[in-house]
Amino acid sequence: MLSALHPLPKLIVCLVWLAASIAVFDPRFQAGIIALAALTLIFIERRSPLLVLALMVPFALFGFGFLTTATLFREESDFATRMAAETPFGSPAFSAGIVLFLRAIACGMVSAVFVLTTEPGRFIKALMANWRLSPRIGYALFSALHLVPDLASEAQQIRLARAMKKGRAPRRIPGPLETASLVVPLLAFAIRRANRAAIAMEARGLGAGPARTIVGAPRSGRAEAFFVVAAFAILAMLFIATSGVRRAW
């Protein structure tokens, strides 16, 4: 399970995969990254295929904008023409648009793999323990992680209180007017929480000195080393299989 791995080696691997998906101008390579990311979530992390498809939708819409822009409002360059001539998609503009479309989905799926397999608390502790993240920033991030679900809970309590006052059941999805009316009380709630967090940070002595003990910080081992080597090997094989050796020859 990728969720049990140390977050920082996983972050490095995902950043390298993102850089590769941006640097390689080949639709087969982008499609291979999308397929590998989807298979990882479905078969290793046991995520629903419908969830994986739903994750692709916003990135596909974003990539569709690149596709239409490259096809309808293009200004061809020598690089785009040369690279697109090596792809099997007709005109250079359409070929470049397909690559950009798949690239958006590939980058999104690699990011989704990291987000869905990484617990935010472990990630922040790893940054503090291994990459010298400031305790002030780390505690502020912890406070933000707890604030987001508390805001949703507070909004639901406000809606229930208003519904009880009016003597009717609350709507399942709040309308625009009801949503706008929640802004001010939720802002006041967030300000109160921010003041408490600031007092707690001072009470914890986060500015007292650099030496600090971090409880429950993740540790790396052989599993992380195997994961990094395997991920880079798969990326290299994918590059060779889709574009590298074939183009070099």
Side-chain angles (χ1 to χ4, degrees), residues 1-248:
M1 296 289 288
L2 297 182
S3 303
L5 296 176
H6 195 286
L8 298 186
K10 192 167 26 176
L11 175 64
I12 294 174
V13 167
C14 290
L15 290 176
V16 172
W17 277 64
L18 284 173
S21 65
I22 294 173
V24 178
F25 204 87
D26 192 314
R28 294 164 295 187
F29 185 80
Q30 312 293 339
I33 288 183
I34 295 171
L36 287 173
L39 292 175
T40 298
L41 291 175
I42 294 173
F43 293 103
I44 297 180
E45 289 299 310
R46 304 295 182 183
R47 303 286 181 171
S48 170
L50 294 178
L51 173 63
V52 175
L53 290 176
L55 289 173
M56 292 186 186
V57 171
F59 303 111
L61 294 175
F62 188 69
F64 186 73
F66 287 130
L67 175 60
T68 55
T69 301
T71 305
L72 302 177
F73 310 100
R74 67 183 185 274
E75 182 178 354
E76 294 182 357
S77 64
D78 294 337
F79 174 77
T81 302
R82 185 176 70 254
M83 297 303 295
E86 302 179 7
T87 61
F89 295 109
S91 68
F94 184 72
S95 298
I98 286 293
V99 173
L100 295 175
F101 172 75
L102 293 176
R103 179 182 293 172
I105 301 177
C107 292
M109 292 305 297
V110 172
S111 303
V113 169
F114 178 77
V115 171
L116 294 178
T117 62
T118 304
E119 200 275 318
R122 296 182 75 244
F123 180 53
I124 295 175
K125 289 182 179 180
L127 290 175
M128 295 172 62
N130 300 107
W131 285 4
R132 306 294 183 182
L133 179 68
S134 170
R136 288 181 177 272
I137 298 176
Y139 190 81
L141 292 175
F142 275 123
S143 299
L145 288 175
H146 289 87
L147 177 61
V148 172
D150 288 347
L151 277 175
S153 177
E154 183 72 13
Q156 185 63 18
Q157 291 183 14
I158 294 174
R159 295 185 64 232
L160 289 175
R162 291 177 177 177
M164 292 177 63
K165 185 177 180 180
K166 295 179 180 179
R168 60 174 178 82
R171 297 175 58 183
R172 178 171 297 182
I173 300 177
L177 294 178
E178 185 180 3
T179 302
S181 67
L182 294 173
V183 172
V184 174
L186 290 180
L187 181 61
F189 173 78
I191 292 174
R192 290 196 301 269
R193 286 290 299 270
N195 289 333
R196 295 172 185 172
I199 296 173
M201 290 174 68
E202 293 297 331
R204 289 172 178 266
L206 294 179
R212 186 168 299 277
T213 300
I214 302 174
V215 179
R219 297 182 179 181
S220 58
R222 294 181 179 179
E224 284 74 16
F226 176 78
F227 167 73
V228 171
V229 173
F232 289 162
I234 293 173
L235 183 65
M237 288 188 293
L238 179 62
F239 176 75
I240 293 172
T242 57
S243 58
V245 172
R246 216 177 304 178
R247 286 182 177 176

